[in-house]
Amino acid sequence: MTQAHEHWSSKIGFILATAGSAVGLGALWRFPYIAGTNGGGAFVILYLLFTFLLGFPVFIAELIIGRKTQKSAVMAYSTLSGGSENWRGLGWLNFLTSLIILSFYGVVAGWVLSYVFMSLGNFSVGKTPAEIEAVFTTLYKAPWINVFWFGLFLLINLAIVSSGIKKGIERWSKILMPLLFLFLMALFIYSTTLSGFGDAVAFVFVPDFSALRPESVLNALGMAFFTLSVGYGIIVTYGSYMKKSENIPKNGFYVAIMTVLVSLISALVIFPIVFTYNLPPQAGPGLVFKTLPVLFAKIPATLLLSTSFFLLMLFATLTSTISLLEILVANVMEVFNIERKKAGIYLTILAFVIGIPSAFSGAGTLFPNWEAIYGKNFFDMMDYITLSWFTPIAALLTIIFVGWTQEKKMLFKEFTSGTHLGFLATPWYWIVKYIAPLVVLFIILHESGLISL
Ligand code: PHE
Protein backbone atom coordinates (compact mmCIF):
# COMPACT_ATOMS: atom_id res chain seq x y z
CA MET A 1 0.00 0.00 0.00
CA THR A 2 1.36 3.41 -0.83
CA GLN A 3 1.57 5.68 2.17
CA ALA A 4 0.16 9.21 1.97
CA HIS A 5 2.83 11.89 1.50
CA GLU A 6 2.84 14.24 4.49
CA HIS A 7 3.15 18.03 4.35
CA TRP A 8 4.33 20.75 6.71
CA SER A 9 1.32 22.12 8.50
CA SER A 10 2.53 25.71 8.21
CA LYS A 11 5.01 27.99 6.51
CA ILE A 12 6.80 28.61 9.79
CA GLY A 13 7.03 24.84 10.31
CA PHE A 14 8.91 24.48 7.04
CA ILE A 15 11.16 27.44 7.76
CA LEU A 16 12.10 26.29 11.26
CA ALA A 17 12.64 22.65 10.27
CA THR A 18 14.78 23.59 7.28
CA ALA A 19 16.71 26.22 9.22
CA GLY A 20 17.10 23.50 11.86
CA SER A 21 18.78 21.25 9.33
CA ALA A 22 21.01 24.08 8.20
CA VAL A 23 21.96 25.48 11.59
CA GLY A 24 24.12 22.89 13.29
CA LEU A 25 27.68 22.18 14.26
CA GLY A 26 28.63 23.86 10.98
CA ALA A 27 27.42 27.26 12.08
CA LEU A 28 28.14 26.98 15.80
CA TRP A 29 31.38 25.09 15.96
CA ARG A 30 33.01 24.92 12.54
CA PHE A 31 32.31 28.46 11.32
CA PRO A 32 34.01 30.32 14.19
CA TYR A 33 37.16 28.24 14.13
CA ILE A 34 37.43 28.13 10.33
CA ALA A 35 36.92 31.91 10.24
CA GLY A 36 39.55 32.13 12.99
CA THR A 37 42.10 30.11 11.07
CA ASN A 38 41.38 31.91 7.78
CA GLY A 39 41.89 35.48 8.88
CA GLY A 40 38.44 36.53 10.12
CA GLY A 41 36.66 39.38 8.27
CA ALA A 42 37.82 38.69 4.74
CA PHE A 43 36.77 35.05 5.08
CA VAL A 44 33.40 36.12 6.45
CA ILE A 45 32.76 38.31 3.41
CA LEU A 46 33.58 35.42 1.08
CA TYR A 47 31.33 33.09 3.04
CA LEU A 48 28.44 35.56 2.79
CA LEU A 49 28.99 36.05 -0.94
CA PHE A 50 29.14 32.31 -1.61
CA THR A 51 26.10 31.62 0.52
CA PHE A 52 23.90 34.09 -1.34
CA LEU A 53 25.34 33.84 -4.83
CA LEU A 54 25.91 30.06 -5.04
CA GLY A 55 24.62 28.08 -2.06
CA PHE A 56 21.24 29.78 -2.04
CA PRO A 57 20.53 29.24 -5.78
CA VAL A 58 21.37 25.54 -5.46
CA PHE A 59 19.23 25.36 -2.33
CA ILE A 60 16.30 26.71 -4.40
CA ALA A 61 17.05 24.15 -7.12
CA GLU A 62 16.74 21.33 -4.57
CA LEU A 63 13.50 22.76 -3.19
CA ILE A 64 12.05 22.89 -6.72
CA ILE A 65 12.90 19.24 -7.41
CA GLY A 66 11.30 18.19 -4.14
CA ARG A 67 8.16 20.26 -4.36
CA LYS A 68 7.58 19.44 -8.04
CA THR A 69 7.84 15.66 -7.58
CA GLN A 70 6.60 15.45 -3.96
CA LYS A 71 9.22 12.74 -3.56
CA SER A 72 12.57 12.18 -1.86
CA ALA A 73 15.88 12.26 -3.70
CA VAL A 74 16.01 8.76 -5.26
CA MET A 75 12.47 8.77 -6.64
CA ALA A 76 12.53 12.50 -7.40
CA TYR A 77 15.56 12.25 -9.70
CA SER A 78 14.17 9.06 -11.19
CA THR A 79 10.77 10.65 -11.91
CA LEU A 80 12.16 13.84 -13.43
CA SER A 81 14.59 11.93 -15.64
CA GLY A 82 11.92 9.56 -16.97
CA GLY A 83 13.21 6.60 -14.94
CA SER A 84 16.94 6.91 -15.62
CA GLU A 85 19.02 4.50 -13.53
CA ASN A 86 21.96 6.90 -13.56
CA TRP A 87 20.05 9.80 -12.06
CA ARG A 88 18.54 7.45 -9.52
CA GLY A 89 22.18 6.79 -8.60
CA LEU A 90 22.54 10.46 -7.63
CA GLY A 91 19.75 9.92 -5.11
CA TRP A 92 21.61 6.92 -3.71
CA LEU A 93 24.83 8.93 -3.53
CA ASN A 94 22.88 11.48 -1.42
CA PHE A 95 21.63 8.59 0.69
CA LEU A 96 25.07 7.09 1.27
CA THR A 97 26.61 10.48 2.09
CA SER A 98 23.91 11.29 4.63
CA LEU A 99 24.24 7.84 6.23
CA ILE A 100 27.99 8.21 6.68
CA ILE A 101 27.69 11.80 7.94
CA LEU A 102 25.07 10.72 10.47
CA SER A 103 27.44 8.00 11.67
CA PHE A 104 30.28 10.37 12.63
CA TYR A 105 28.36 13.61 13.23
CA GLY A 106 26.40 11.50 15.74
CA VAL A 107 29.63 10.74 17.62
CA VAL A 108 30.30 14.49 18.00
CA ALA A 109 26.66 14.91 19.02
CA GLY A 110 27.34 12.30 21.71
CA TRP A 111 30.19 14.46 23.06
CA VAL A 112 27.82 17.42 23.17
CA LEU A 113 25.26 15.38 25.09
CA SER A 114 27.95 14.24 27.48
CA TYR A 115 29.08 17.87 28.01
CA VAL A 116 25.52 18.91 28.87
CA PHE A 117 25.50 16.37 31.70
CA MET A 118 29.04 17.20 32.77
CA SER A 119 28.13 20.92 32.87
CA LEU A 120 25.17 20.16 35.09
CA GLY A 121 27.64 18.50 37.44
CA ASN A 122 29.86 21.61 37.37
CA PHE A 123 32.71 19.49 36.00
CA SER A 124 35.16 22.34 35.42
CA VAL A 125 34.99 24.04 38.80
CA GLY A 126 38.16 23.70 40.88
CA LYS A 127 40.17 22.18 38.04
CA THR A 128 43.25 23.63 36.38
CA PRO A 129 43.02 24.44 32.65
CA ALA A 130 45.17 21.41 31.87
CA GLU A 131 42.81 19.18 33.87
CA ILE A 132 39.77 20.60 32.09
CA GLU A 133 41.32 20.03 28.69
CA ALA A 134 42.24 16.53 29.80
CA VAL A 135 38.55 15.76 30.35
CA PHE A 136 37.98 15.98 26.63
CA THR A 137 41.01 13.85 25.86
CA THR A 138 39.86 11.22 28.34
CA LEU A 139 36.37 11.19 26.82
CA TYR A 140 37.78 11.01 23.31
CA LYS A 141 39.90 8.01 24.23
CA ALA A 142 37.14 6.09 26.04
CA PRO A 143 35.53 4.00 23.28
CA TRP A 144 32.59 2.51 25.17
CA ILE A 145 31.63 5.83 26.72
CA ASN A 146 31.63 7.30 23.23
CA VAL A 147 29.48 4.43 22.00
CA PHE A 148 27.09 4.96 24.91
CA TRP A 149 26.46 8.69 24.28
CA PHE A 150 26.38 8.19 20.53
CA GLY A 151 23.78 5.42 20.91
CA LEU A 152 21.68 7.47 23.32
CA PHE A 153 21.74 10.45 20.98
CA LEU A 154 20.66 8.26 18.04
CA LEU A 155 17.71 6.96 20.09
CA ILE A 156 16.51 10.51 20.79
CA ASN A 157 16.90 11.30 17.11
CA LEU A 158 14.94 8.18 16.17
CA ALA A 159 12.11 9.01 18.57
CA ILE A 160 11.57 12.36 16.84
CA VAL A 161 11.82 11.13 13.24
CA SER A 162 9.56 8.12 13.96
CA SER A 163 6.72 10.45 14.86
CA GLY A 164 6.57 11.80 11.31
CA ILE A 165 6.71 15.21 9.69
CA LYS A 166 4.06 17.20 11.52
CA LYS A 167 4.12 15.45 14.89
CA GLY A 168 7.84 14.77 14.98
CA ILE A 169 10.14 16.97 12.92
CA GLU A 170 7.93 20.06 12.67
CA ARG A 171 6.78 19.96 16.28
CA TRP A 172 10.28 19.54 17.68
CA SER A 173 11.78 22.13 15.35
CA LYS A 174 9.17 24.59 16.58
CA ILE A 175 10.28 23.90 20.15
CA LEU A 176 14.04 23.54 19.71
CA MET A 177 14.73 26.36 17.27
CA PRO A 178 13.18 29.18 19.34
CA LEU A 179 15.03 27.80 22.39
CA LEU A 180 18.23 27.84 20.40
CA PHE A 181 17.66 31.49 19.42
CA LEU A 182 16.88 32.37 23.00
CA PHE A 183 20.06 30.77 24.37
CA LEU A 184 22.11 32.27 21.58
CA MET A 185 20.76 35.75 22.26
CA ALA A 186 21.35 35.38 26.00
CA LEU A 187 24.95 34.31 25.43
CA PHE A 188 25.37 37.09 22.88
CA ILE A 189 24.21 39.69 25.39
CA TYR A 190 26.66 38.25 27.89
CA SER A 191 29.48 38.44 25.33
CA THR A 192 28.80 42.11 24.58
CA THR A 193 29.69 42.88 28.19
CA LEU A 194 33.17 41.40 27.87
CA SER A 195 36.17 43.63 27.29
CA GLY A 196 37.15 41.67 24.17
CA PHE A 197 33.85 42.37 22.37
CA GLY A 198 35.22 45.31 20.36
CA ASP A 199 38.19 43.25 19.17
CA ALA A 200 35.86 40.42 18.24
CA VAL A 201 33.65 42.69 16.14
CA ALA A 202 36.70 44.04 14.38
CA PHE A 203 38.01 40.51 13.83
CA VAL A 204 34.72 39.24 12.37
CA PHE A 205 33.74 42.31 10.33
CA VAL A 206 36.85 44.26 9.33
CA PRO A 207 38.35 42.46 6.36
CA ASP A 208 42.07 41.98 6.11
CA PHE A 209 42.51 40.51 2.66
CA SER A 210 46.20 39.92 3.20
CA ALA A 211 45.27 37.22 5.75
CA LEU A 212 43.42 35.23 3.10
CA ARG A 213 45.16 32.16 1.77
CA PRO A 214 44.14 30.57 -1.56
CA GLU A 215 42.52 27.66 0.31
CA SER A 216 40.42 30.14 2.25
CA VAL A 217 38.37 30.70 -0.88
CA LEU A 218 37.66 26.98 -1.14
CA ASN A 219 37.00 26.72 2.57
CA ALA A 220 34.47 29.55 2.36
CA LEU A 221 32.65 27.86 -0.49
CA GLY A 222 32.62 24.45 1.21
CA MET A 223 31.38 26.11 4.37
CA ALA A 224 28.54 27.86 2.50
CA PHE A 225 27.29 24.54 1.05
CA PHE A 226 27.74 22.51 4.24
CA THR A 227 25.93 24.96 6.49
CA LEU A 228 22.99 25.26 4.10
CA SER A 229 22.80 21.41 3.92
CA VAL A 230 23.03 21.69 0.13
CA GLY A 231 24.21 18.68 -1.92
CA TYR A 232 22.70 15.93 0.27
CA GLY A 233 19.19 15.61 -1.14
CA ILE A 234 17.96 16.82 2.25
CA ILE A 235 16.52 20.00 0.84
CA VAL A 236 14.85 17.92 -1.91
CA THR A 237 13.14 15.84 0.78
CA TYR A 238 12.15 18.86 2.88
CA GLY A 239 10.90 20.58 -0.30
CA SER A 240 8.71 17.55 -1.02
CA TYR A 241 6.75 18.32 2.17
CA MET A 242 5.97 21.81 0.83
CA LYS A 243 2.57 22.53 -0.58
CA LYS A 244 2.31 23.76 -4.15
CA SER A 245 1.11 27.15 -2.99
CA GLU A 246 4.30 27.91 -1.01
CA ASN A 247 6.64 30.67 -2.06
CA ILE A 248 9.98 28.97 -2.77
CA PRO A 249 12.35 31.95 -3.18
CA LYS A 250 10.99 33.85 -0.21
CA ASN A 251 10.88 30.95 2.25
CA GLY A 252 14.27 29.75 1.04
CA PHE A 253 15.65 33.22 1.61
CA TYR A 254 14.41 33.27 5.20
CA VAL A 255 16.25 30.00 5.84
CA ALA A 256 19.47 31.32 4.30
CA ILE A 257 19.28 34.55 6.32
CA MET A 258 18.67 32.68 9.57
CA THR A 259 21.61 30.38 8.93
CA VAL A 260 23.96 33.22 8.19
CA LEU A 261 22.78 35.19 11.21
CA VAL A 262 23.33 32.26 13.55
CA SER A 263 26.82 31.71 12.14
CA LEU A 264 27.72 35.37 12.64
CA ILE A 265 26.19 35.63 16.10
CA SER A 266 27.89 32.46 17.25
CA ALA A 267 31.21 33.93 16.11
CA LEU A 268 30.31 37.04 18.12
CA VAL A 269 29.65 34.85 21.14
CA ILE A 270 32.87 32.88 20.92
CA PHE A 271 35.46 35.47 19.84
CA PRO A 272 34.82 38.01 22.63
CA ILE A 273 35.61 35.21 25.10
CA VAL A 274 38.69 34.28 23.09
CA PHE A 275 39.95 37.89 22.98
CA THR A 276 39.06 38.72 26.56
CA TYR A 277 41.12 35.80 27.84
CA ASN A 278 43.95 36.20 25.33
CA LEU A 279 43.52 32.97 23.45
CA PRO A 280 44.71 32.58 19.90
CA PRO A 281 41.71 32.88 17.51
CA GLN A 282 43.29 30.08 15.50
CA ALA A 283 42.70 27.55 18.31
CA GLY A 284 41.09 25.09 15.84
CA PRO A 285 38.51 22.35 16.34
CA GLY A 286 39.25 21.94 20.06
CA LEU A 287 37.89 25.48 20.66
CA VAL A 288 34.48 24.39 21.86
CA PHE A 289 35.27 21.28 23.89
CA LYS A 290 38.64 22.19 25.36
CA THR A 291 39.00 25.94 25.47
CA LEU A 292 35.53 27.20 26.23
CA PRO A 293 35.06 25.09 29.40
CA VAL A 294 38.36 26.51 30.66
CA LEU A 295 36.86 29.96 30.26
CA PHE A 296 33.49 29.05 31.67
CA ALA A 297 35.28 27.83 34.80
CA LYS A 298 36.70 31.34 35.36
CA ILE A 299 33.29 32.94 35.31
CA PRO A 300 31.02 33.01 38.39
CA ALA A 301 27.92 31.56 36.70
CA THR A 302 29.76 28.53 35.34
CA LEU A 303 26.93 26.04 35.71
CA LEU A 304 24.40 28.24 33.95
CA LEU A 305 26.73 29.39 31.21
CA SER A 306 28.29 26.06 30.43
CA THR A 307 25.00 24.17 30.52
CA SER A 308 23.29 26.80 28.33
CA PHE A 309 26.08 26.71 25.82
CA PHE A 310 26.10 22.94 25.43
CA LEU A 311 22.30 22.77 25.39
CA LEU A 312 22.37 25.28 22.57
CA MET A 313 24.76 23.07 20.67
CA LEU A 314 22.66 20.02 21.44
CA PHE A 315 19.49 21.59 20.01
CA ALA A 316 21.29 22.74 16.89
CA THR A 317 22.90 19.34 16.39
CA LEU A 318 19.66 17.46 16.93
CA THR A 319 17.69 19.44 14.35
CA SER A 320 20.48 18.69 11.85
CA THR A 321 20.70 14.96 12.57
CA ILE A 322 16.92 14.76 12.34
CA SER A 323 17.23 15.88 8.73
CA LEU A 324 20.00 13.36 8.06
CA LEU A 325 17.88 10.48 9.37
CA GLU A 326 14.76 11.82 7.64
CA ILE A 327 16.29 11.70 4.17
CA LEU A 328 17.31 8.07 4.81
CA VAL A 329 13.90 7.12 6.14
CA ALA A 330 11.96 8.98 3.44
CA ASN A 331 13.89 7.30 0.63
CA VAL A 332 13.59 3.81 2.10
CA MET A 333 9.86 4.34 2.71
CA GLU A 334 9.33 5.35 -0.91
CA VAL A 335 11.61 2.89 -2.65
CA PHE A 336 10.85 -0.22 -0.57
CA ASN A 337 7.41 0.76 0.65
CA ILE A 338 8.36 0.20 4.28
CA GLU A 339 6.54 1.84 7.13
CA ARG A 340 8.20 4.92 8.77
CA LYS A 341 8.83 3.42 12.22
CA LYS A 342 10.42 0.24 10.85
CA ALA A 343 12.55 2.17 8.37
CA GLY A 344 13.68 4.45 11.20
CA ILE A 345 14.74 1.54 13.41
CA TYR A 346 16.64 -0.29 10.65
CA LEU A 347 18.44 2.85 9.53
CA THR A 348 19.34 3.96 13.04
CA ILE A 349 20.87 0.53 13.70
CA LEU A 350 22.78 0.80 10.44
CA ALA A 351 24.10 4.29 11.28
CA PHE A 352 25.03 3.06 14.76
CA VAL A 353 27.00 0.08 13.42
CA ILE A 354 28.80 2.20 10.83
CA GLY A 355 29.54 4.80 13.52
CA ILE A 356 31.15 2.38 15.99
CA PRO A 357 34.61 2.56 14.38
CA SER A 358 34.32 6.38 14.51
CA ALA A 359 33.43 6.20 18.20
CA PHE A 360 36.53 4.04 18.67
CA SER A 361 38.79 6.39 16.70
CA GLY A 362 40.10 8.25 19.72
CA ALA A 363 41.05 5.01 21.48
CA GLY A 364 42.44 3.45 18.32
CA THR A 365 41.75 -0.05 19.63
CA LEU A 366 39.41 -1.14 16.86
CA PHE A 367 41.33 -1.40 13.55
CA PRO A 368 44.57 -0.36 15.33
CA ASN A 369 46.53 -0.12 12.08
CA TRP A 370 43.97 1.96 10.24
CA GLU A 371 45.80 5.25 10.62
CA ALA A 372 49.20 3.79 9.81
CA ILE A 373 47.81 2.38 6.55
CA TYR A 374 45.43 5.12 5.41
CA GLY A 375 47.02 8.19 6.99
CA LYS A 376 43.83 9.26 8.80
CA ASN A 377 41.86 7.64 11.58
CA PHE A 378 38.45 6.17 10.72
CA PHE A 379 36.52 9.22 11.91
CA ASP A 380 38.65 11.68 9.95
CA MET A 381 38.53 9.46 6.90
CA MET A 382 34.72 9.34 6.90
CA ASP A 383 34.65 13.12 7.36
CA TYR A 384 37.11 13.63 4.53
CA ILE A 385 35.45 11.27 2.04
CA THR A 386 31.98 12.67 2.54
CA LEU A 387 32.72 16.38 2.90
CA SER A 388 35.59 16.77 0.48
CA TRP A 389 34.46 14.32 -2.20
CA PHE A 390 30.89 13.01 -2.07
CA THR A 391 29.33 16.39 -1.27
CA PRO A 392 30.91 18.47 -4.05
CA ILE A 393 30.39 15.64 -6.58
CA ALA A 394 26.71 15.28 -5.61
CA ALA A 395 26.29 19.06 -5.65
CA LEU A 396 27.79 19.24 -9.15
CA LEU A 397 25.52 16.45 -10.41
CA THR A 398 22.47 18.11 -8.83
CA ILE A 399 23.28 21.39 -10.55
CA ILE A 400 23.85 19.65 -13.90
CA PHE A 401 20.62 17.74 -13.44
CA VAL A 402 18.59 20.88 -12.86
CA GLY A 403 20.38 23.24 -15.24
CA TRP A 404 21.00 20.90 -18.16
CA THR A 405 18.39 18.12 -18.13
CA GLN A 406 15.26 19.91 -16.94
CA GLU A 407 13.03 22.10 -19.06
CA LYS A 408 13.45 25.79 -18.45
CA LYS A 409 9.68 26.24 -18.68
CA MET A 410 8.98 23.81 -15.82
CA LEU A 411 11.71 25.33 -13.64
CA PHE A 412 10.41 28.86 -14.18
CA LYS A 413 6.86 27.76 -13.44
CA GLU A 414 7.96 26.20 -10.13
CA PHE A 415 10.16 29.16 -9.23
CA THR A 416 7.50 31.77 -9.91
CA SER A 417 4.39 30.03 -8.54
CA GLY A 418 3.08 31.73 -5.42
CA THR A 419 5.71 34.48 -5.43
CA HIS A 420 6.12 38.04 -6.62
CA LEU A 421 9.88 37.46 -6.83
CA GLY A 422 9.49 35.98 -10.32
CA PHE A 423 11.94 38.51 -11.77
CA LEU A 424 14.73 36.61 -9.98
CA ALA A 425 14.06 33.45 -12.00
CA THR A 426 16.32 34.46 -14.90
CA PRO A 427 19.43 35.35 -12.86
CA TRP A 428 18.85 32.24 -10.75
CA TYR A 429 18.70 30.06 -13.88
CA TRP A 430 21.93 31.53 -15.23
CA ILE A 431 23.75 30.88 -12.00
CA VAL A 432 22.52 27.29 -11.79
CA LYS A 433 23.19 26.53 -15.43
CA TYR A 434 26.57 28.21 -16.00
CA ILE A 435 28.26 29.68 -12.96
CA ALA A 436 27.62 27.14 -10.20
CA PRO A 437 28.77 24.06 -12.18
CA LEU A 438 32.01 25.77 -13.17
CA VAL A 439 32.79 26.86 -9.63
CA VAL A 440 32.02 23.46 -8.11
CA LEU A 441 33.96 21.66 -10.84
CA PHE A 442 36.88 23.92 -10.04
CA ILE A 443 36.71 22.90 -6.38
CA ILE A 444 36.70 19.20 -7.26
CA LEU A 445 39.67 19.60 -9.60
CA HIS A 446 41.53 21.54 -6.95
CA GLU A 447 40.78 18.90 -4.33
CA SER A 448 42.07 16.18 -6.63
CA GLY A 449 45.31 18.09 -7.14
CA LEU A 450 44.71 18.42 -10.91
CA ILE A 451 44.85 22.19 -10.61
CA SER A 452 46.38 24.26 -7.86
CA LEU A 453 45.87 27.81 -6.71
N1 PHE B 1 24.08 22.02 7.94
C1 PHE B 1 24.49 21.25 9.07
C2 PHE B 1 25.44 22.04 9.93
O1 PHE B 1 25.80 23.13 9.60
C3 PHE B 1 25.23 20.04 8.72
C4 PHE B 1 24.51 19.14 7.86
C5 PHE B 1 25.08 18.82 6.69
C6 PHE B 1 23.31 18.65 8.23
C7 PHE B 1 24.46 17.96 5.88
C8 PHE B 1 22.68 17.80 7.43
C9 PHE B 1 23.27 17.47 6.25
O2 PHE B 1 25.85 21.54 10.94
Side-chain angles (χ1 to χ4, degrees):
M1 193 191 75
T2 324
Q3 301 158 56
H5 193 77
E6 272 199 84
H7 288 103
W8 307 110
S9 68
S10 61
K11 189 172 101 178
I12 190 75
F14 160 77
I15 293 174
L16 290 180
T18 315
S21 168
V23 173
L25 294 174
L28 290 171
W29 162 68
R30 216 163 163 262
F31 176 75
Y33 89 75
I34 298 266
T37 47
N38 286 278
F43 174 86
V44 173
I45 292 183
L46 282 181
Y47 162 72
L48 293 178
L49 276 178
F50 285 144
T51 298
F52 289 106
L53 295 181
L54 288 170
F56 177 55
V58 184
F59 182 90
I60 302 239
E62 284 201 26
L63 281 182
I64 288 181
I65 301 171
R67 193 185 63 177
K68 165 83 187 154
T69 55
Q70 298 281 299
K71 292 196 165 75
S72 276
V74 175
M75 296 309 271
Y77 293 124
S78 167
T79 308
L80 286 182
S81 63
S84 147
E85 278 300 322
N86 291 340
W87 287 115
R88 212 178 228 268
L90 170 58
W92 286 118
L93 176 62
N94 285 158
F95 182 94
L96 181 68
T97 311
S98 301
L99 178 65
I100 299 176
I101 293 185
L102 180 59
S103 79
F104 68 81
Y105 198 92
V107 173
V108 182
W111 299 341
V112 178
L113 192 54
S114 154
Y115 267 76
V116 170
F117 282 91
M118 288 199 288
S119 300
L120 282 173
N122 242 340
F123 79 106
S124 57
V125 171
K127 288 201 175 77
T128 64
E131 283 169 345
I132 297 175
E133 290 191 8
V135 170
F136 179 74
T137 318
T138 311
L139 173 69
Y140 183 58
K141 291 194 171 153
W144 290 108
I145 297 182
N146 272 286
V147 169
F148 169 77
W149 290 110
F150 168 48
L152 184 64
F153 181 86
L154 284 185
L155 284 180
I156 302 173
N157 200 40
L158 172 65
I160 296 177
V161 172
S162 293
S163 310
I165 305 308
K166 289 196 189 82
K167 290 199 187 123
I169 300 178
E170 186 172 341
R171 186 170 80 181
W172 281 97
S173 300
K174 281 182 179 164
I175 297 173
L176 295 175
M177 290 305 283
L179 277 176
L180 185 146
F181 294 131
L182 201 77
F183 278 124
L184 191 63
M185 284 325 288
L187 287 168
F188 175 66
I189 291 169
Y190 169 77
S191 278
T192 59
T193 65
L194 295 175
S195 60
F197 186 71
D199 289 344
V201 172
F203 183 72
V204 175
F205 290 112
V206 180
D208 168 13
F209 285 98
S210 66
L212 271 189
R213 289 169 290 125
E215 311 89 77
S216 306
V217 182
L218 299 174
N219 276 336
L221 190 77
M223 191 71 218
F225 275 60
F226 183 74
T227 40
L228 278 179
S229 305
V230 158
Y232 303 93
I234 288 179
I235 306 303
V236 172
T237 302
Y238 275 25
S240 80
Y241 304 136
M242 274 179 127
K243 293 184 191 128
K244 291 277 177 198
S245 54
E246 297 291 8
N247 185 334
I248 286 190
K250 192 164 119 197
N251 291 345
F253 187 70
Y254 287 147
V255 173
I257 281 282
M258 278 164 97
T259 311
V260 162
L261 278 180
V262 171
S263 304
L264 292 177
I265 296 175
S266 76
L268 289 178
V269 165
I270 291 174
F271 285 120
I273 307 182
V274 167
F275 286 119
T276 305
Y277 293 96
N278 279 328
L279 287 153
Q282 303 84 354
L287 198 65
V288 164
F289 295 107
K290 288 184 173 173
T291 331
L292 284 186
V294 171
L295 300 165
F296 292 149
K298 294 188 180 174
I299 297 159
T302 308
L303 184 123
L304 187 71
L305 213 60
S306 182
T307 313
S308 311
F309 184 82
F310 287 108
L311 270 179
L312 164 92
M313 279 191 64
L314 184 68
F315 297 156
T317 311
L318 192 54
T319 46
S320 296
T321 51
I322 287 174
S323 71
L324 286 166
L325 181 60
E326 175 59 25
I327 174 192
L328 304 178
V329 168
N331 277 304
V332 164
M333 281 168 70
E334 276 173 21
V335 176
F336 302 109
N337 213 358
I338 296 179
E339 195 216 333
R340 170 173 287 275
K341 284 205 168 60
K342 263 195 201 143
I345 294 173
Y346 296 154
L347 289 160
T348 298
I349 294 175
L350 191 61
F352 181 64
V353 172
I354 299 175
I356 287 179
S358 287
F360 268 72
S361 283
T365 46
L366 189 71
F367 309 141
N369 295 324
W370 191 282
E371 195 162 345
I373 298 173
Y374 300 107
K376 283 185 168 54
N377 70 29
F378 191 86
F379 181 108
D380 291 340
M381 188 154 167
M382 294 298 113
D383 178 316
Y384 175 70
I385 290 178
T386 49
L387 299 190
S388 300
W389 288 103
F390 289 4
T391 306
I393 290 173
L396 179 64
L397 292 172
T398 309
I399 300 163
I400 293 175
F401 180 78
V402 175
W404 294 87
T405 74
Q406 295 303 297
E407 265 185 42
K408 191 173 167 187
K409 214 170 110 199
M410 178 283 275
L411 295 173
F412 272 53
K413 193 167 157 236
E414 286 294 321
F415 189 104
T416 52
S417 90
T419 183
H420 45 266
L421 298 171
F423 63 96
L424 290 175
T426 304
W428 167 78
Y429 185 70
W430 275 77
I431 291 178
V432 170
K433 194 169 169 97
Y434 299 108
I435 301 175
L438 285 177
V439 178
V440 179
L441 182 65
F442 179 78
I443 295 187
I444 296 172
L445 293 178
H446 183 271
E447 191 66 49
S448 64
L450 289 174
I451 49 173
S452 67
L453 280 176

